[in-house]
Amino acid sequence: MNITLTNTLSRSKEVFKPITDGKVGMYHCGPTVYWNQHIGNMRAVVIADLVRRMFMYNGYDVNLVRNYTDVGHLTGDNIGDADTGEDRMTKAVNREHLTPDEIAQKYIDIYKNDIASLNTLPPTHDPRATDFIADMIALVQELVASDHAYMTDHAVYFDVSTYHDYTKLSGQQLANLESGEGHGSVTDSDKRNPTDFALWFFKAGAHANALQTWPSPFTSPLVANGEGFPGWHIECSAMSKHYLGSTFDVHMGGIEHIPIHHTNEIAQSTCANHAHFVNYWLHNEHLLVDGKKMAKSEGTSYTIKDIEDKGFEPLSLRYFFLQAHYRSKQNFTWESLTASQTAYRKLKATVQAMPDDGVIADSYQVLFHEMINDDLNTAGALATVWELLKNSDVSDADKKATILDFDRVLGLKLDEVAEKVEIPNAVTELLSAREAARANKDFKKSDELRDEIAKLGFIVKDTQDGQTVTKS
Ligand code: AMP
Ligand code: ZN
């Protein structure tokens, strides 16, 4: 069965053809590990996981690479050229008084837990940018040698006028980009074109106090040994080349990456490797909260922990994500998550109550397969599940076998029975005392009892259904 995907390069649905039969090489731009990721970031990860599982359902062996950006991502990167803004890692170091490496490790650990709780399969490779500095330098050297890049006292830049297809992904006019947001504030007067972007920053000028720097073969009168750090965009070009080769099948990321980050990746990789870069570019739309862009300042940058603290299972959020097409905006509200949790729990309970040893209902499997192969129509796939449940011509055992087959893509852990936690008497007593304290609004006592319970190895959470405990 054909797989069709909307390719941002052609702005149309195309039939997927792999470079190598039976294999898919896929790169997903990963998180900047300087802070907690919000549920919008989680939507992007779940979508990439669904694309990957869709390929697996079609029998492909998928090599998924998702990086961690642990250096060089400036706050101006998403809105303009890469030489503006503050370094995100430096911001985190000042906030938390840890080293850049400790910050990265802390947020990588949280992120891994978060995406595992959404049942996303671990990437085949998850490299850290700081482990690929030599590869980045080699790419930049190639670009300098082939006159696609030049040095000023402050940085090595990619010269966009040397790549005639620079705007092919975005379809934008270079003239509009040049006058766009983010250009001209802290720009280097030696830059040849306003849209030229930095491949390597020297530890000088605005970056004289950069915390993470390496020697390089590039030269500036302002630093010894070419000391500096890579631009953000070159990271993905280096890591994708290492794991997937100069040309690979699928590249994913959020839509905001189309005009800058991915446009720059294409320019660098194509010119440095003298090869076509990526065949299919897939971009996910954003998650909104209460109809608006998510923002820390608005208190809407919810995390998985926020979801759990309110008594929701992360997999209810996965179910919620399945209901929208990846190329559409999706609006998150607590009401919609409540509705998703209700539907998810009902689905899981219904499937688990059904007998085993059925066989897959072919006609439904074909329908489901067509849905997911049609540009990842997850909402249609989910509707197929509920239609099957209503069909009285299919036995319960066959329904179960069929839905568990679909769950290879949906990833909702529909057959997983929650592990029964044995709660010792001492904990039960403390829980009742805590319930009484909370009823009396004695929150100091309630917090003390929470700590007592923690000492016995249990974590208590206050949910809509009262107190729940899990093993710590
Ligand atoms: P960042 O850590 O900011 O570089 O973002 C990590 C990933 O999350 C990127 O691929 C973004 O495209 C994606 N992303 C950021 N905000 C949202 C959102 N509101 N909805 C969906 N994806 C998002
Ligand atoms: Zn990237």
Side-chain angles (χ1 to χ4, degrees), residues 29 31-32 37-38 40-41 44 73 254 256-257 284-287 294:
C29 292
T32 311
Q37 294 273 302
H38 56 55
N41 306 128
H73 193 174
E256 79 282 10
H257 292 331
N284 64 275
E285 251 294 358
H286 279 187
L287 185 74
M294 301 181 64

Side-chain angles (χ1 to χ4, degrees), residues 103-239:
I103 297 272
Q105 199 54 58
K106 172 180 168 181
Y107 289 106
I108 287 173
D109 291 346
I110 296 173
Y111 176 81
K112 278 190 177 172
N113 274 329
D114 284 352
I115 67 170
S117 75
L118 290 163
N119 197 25
T120 66
L121 302 171
T124 323
H125 302 283
D126 60 345
R128 278 172 71 154
T130 47
D131 289 331
F132 284 82
I133 302 295
D135 295 57
M136 296 180 211
I137 289 175
L139 277 182
V140 180
Q141 274 182 300
E142 178 57 40
L143 291 170
V144 172
S146 55
D147 287 332
H148 288 292
Y150 61 94
M151 285 175 236
T152 71
D153 290 356
H154 288 94
V156 182
Y157 291 104
F158 185 92
D159 181 340
V160 302
S161 69
T162 65
Y163 181 50
H164 64 284
D165 261 347
Y166 183 66
T167 55
K168 74 173 172 183
L169 188 70
S170 66
Q172 286 172 312
Q173 298 295 322
L174 205 51
N176 294 346
L177 268 183
E178 285 174 6
S179 58
E181 212 179 344
H183 295 287
S185 50
V186 195
T187 46
D188 178 339
S189 57
D190 293 328
K191 264 172 83 166
R192 290 180 191 164
N193 311 289
T195 39
D196 290 353
F197 57 92
L199 300 163
W200 186 262
F201 292 99
F202 292 116
K203 191 174 192 278
H207 302 296
N209 298 320
L211 298 176
Q212 298 164 282
T213 60
W214 293 263
S216 79
F218 315 118
T219 50
S220 158
L222 305 178
V223 297
N225 304 318
E227 194 74 19
F229 61 96
W232 172 42
H233 314 298
I234 197 75
E235 297 180 357
C236 292
S237 287
M239 290 181 274

Side-chain angles (χ1 to χ4, degrees), residues 390-405:
K390 275 191 280 181
N391 186 338
S392 51
D393 294 340
V394 182
S395 74
D396 280 358
D398 290 357
K399 283 179 182 170
K400 182 173 188 172
T402 311
I403 293 172
L404 291 184
D405 173 67

Side-chain angles (χ1 to χ4, degrees), residues 238-281:
M239 290 181 274
S240 63
K241 181 176 180 180
H242 178 85
Y243 290 106
L244 301 168
S246 297
T247 308
F248 59 94
D249 298 293
V250 179
H251 197 313
M252 293 195 64
I255 46 150
E256 79 282 10
H257 292 331
I258 297 172
I260 301 169
H261 182 52
H262 289 166
T263 286
N264 292 349
E265 275 189 44
I266 293 175
Q268 299 160 161
S269 292
T270 310
C271 296
N273 302 326
H274 314 285
H276 175 64
F277 183 36
V278 169
N279 288 341
Y280 302 88
W281 284 89

